[in-house]
Amino acid sequence: MATEPDDLGLLHEVSVLRAADAMDVNGAGTPTDPTTPVLATGYPKWTQIVDPSAACLLKPPVITGVLAASGSPGTLVTITGNNFGSAQGNGRVSFGGQVATISGAGWSPNGDSIQVVVPPLSPGLVGVVVTAGAVPSNSFVFTVTQ
């Protein structure tokens, strides 16, 4: 048994079966074809079929641009890229290691832009990083001005 968050961030128990161990959901107790999905029973529990030979790969977030390239603390900045996720969830944006406040249009539903406010930092170059879940993006250079 494991737990997984749903779209609202609530955790639910999840049963995981290997395809080879799947049984007929009609109750006959006979193995099904491994390509036939097994239905979930007993909400809020779900059943997943897992192919132990398949690797689960998450695409890391990637920053392709920061608009504007410089600004003082408090400036609204738009970060563009991909794989940010459709909602903020456990995501965050940091400038030089300091977490920024999500603002303006916020986290775009198609996961390709985020609007944030530059946190209080000393002038100079800092790296901007988007973290989606626990996966960090590339670092993008931003110039903090006075």
Side-chain angles (χ1 to χ4, degrees):
M1 241 0 128
T3 57
E4 281 190 356
D6 63 13
D7 292 340
L8 300 174
L10 302 173
L11 293 178
H12 297 277
E13 288 184 351
V14 177
S15 299
V16 179
L17 300 175
R18 293 181 326 182
D21 296 334
M23 299 301 276
D24 185 342
V25 293
N26 295 329
T30 56
T32 60
D33 176 345
T35 61
T36 303
V38 173
L39 300 176
T41 58
Y43 182 80
K45 294 180 182 180
W46 297 283
T47 301
Q48 292 178 311
I49 303 259
V50 178
D51 179 354
S53 65
C56 179
L57 300 175
L58 297 176
K59 292 182 180 180
V62 176
I63 298 174
T64 57
V66 177
L67 309 168
S70 65
S72 60
T75 301
L76 186 63
V77 174
T78 300
I79 299 166
T80 58
N82 50 51
N83 303 325
F84 295 158
S86 60
Q88 181 179 355
N90 293 331
R92 67 180 183 277
V93 176
S94 60
F95 285 70
Q98 272 202 323
V99 177
T101 301
I102 308 299
S103 187
W107 211 279
S108 75
N110 57 359
D112 66 358
S113 69
I114 307 166
Q115 284 193 332
V116 297
V117 175
V118 177
L121 294 166
S122 299
L125 297 177
V126 296
V128 177
V129 176
V130 173
T131 303
V135 182
S137 71
N138 57 310
S139 181
F140 205 91
V141 177
F142 181 83
T143 304
V144 179
T145 61
Q146 257 317 10

